[in-house]
């Protein structure tokens, strides 16, 4: 597994992370949407925020070993400008 932690899905219970294998590496993926009209950006941001706040959706992702960190449009812009 390339993430910091093993997924909670029992199918992957015995799959070690790279760090557990003494490989000092972990990585994640970032996705974003750029260059949209302000009204559309606002609608999508609100929809994504509601979607990932849904407990069932969040549990499903966590069971696959995925972690979601929601950033609103301003936070996302700051992340990309500083990293």
């Amino acid at each position: 597994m390339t993430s910091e932690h093993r997924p909670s899905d029992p199918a992957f219970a015995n799959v070690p992370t790279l760090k557990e294998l003494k490989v000092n590496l972990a990585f994640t993926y970032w996705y974003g949407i750029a260059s949209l009209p302000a009204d559309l950006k606002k609608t999508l941001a609100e929809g994504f925020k509601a979607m990932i706040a849904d407990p069932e959706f969040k549990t499903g992702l966590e069971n696959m070993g995925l972690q979601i960190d929601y950033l609103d449009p301003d936070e996302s812009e700051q992340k990309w400008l500083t990293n």
Side-chain angles (χ1 to χ4, degrees):
M1 304 305 296
T2 60
S3 62
E4 292 280 337
H5 308 285
R6 291 184 188 197
S8 57
D9 186 325
F12 298 103
N14 295 319
V15 179
T17 65
L18 289 174
K19 286 192 174 192
E20 290 174 313
L21 295 173
K22 307 296 185 223
V23 177
N24 190 20
L25 176 69
F27 57 90
T28 58
Y29 301 95
W30 285 86
Y31 297 97
I33 300 172
S35 302
L36 296 173
D39 59 334
L40 180 56
K41 185 188 303 186
K42 180 181 179 197
T43 299
L44 284 173
E46 290 170 355
F48 287 138
K49 186 174 183 176
M51 180 179 68
I52 65 171
D54 178 86
E56 185 177 343
F57 181 79
K58 190 172 182 176
T59 297
L61 290 175
E62 289 171 351
N63 286 343
M64 292 186 290
L66 301 174
Q67 176 186 348
I68 296 239
D69 295 315
Y70 174 80
L71 300 177
D72 68 29
D74 293 332
E75 293 168 326
S76 183
E77 184 175 341
Q78 284 301 312
K79 171 136 185 92
W80 289 110
L81 292 175
T82 60
N83 285 324

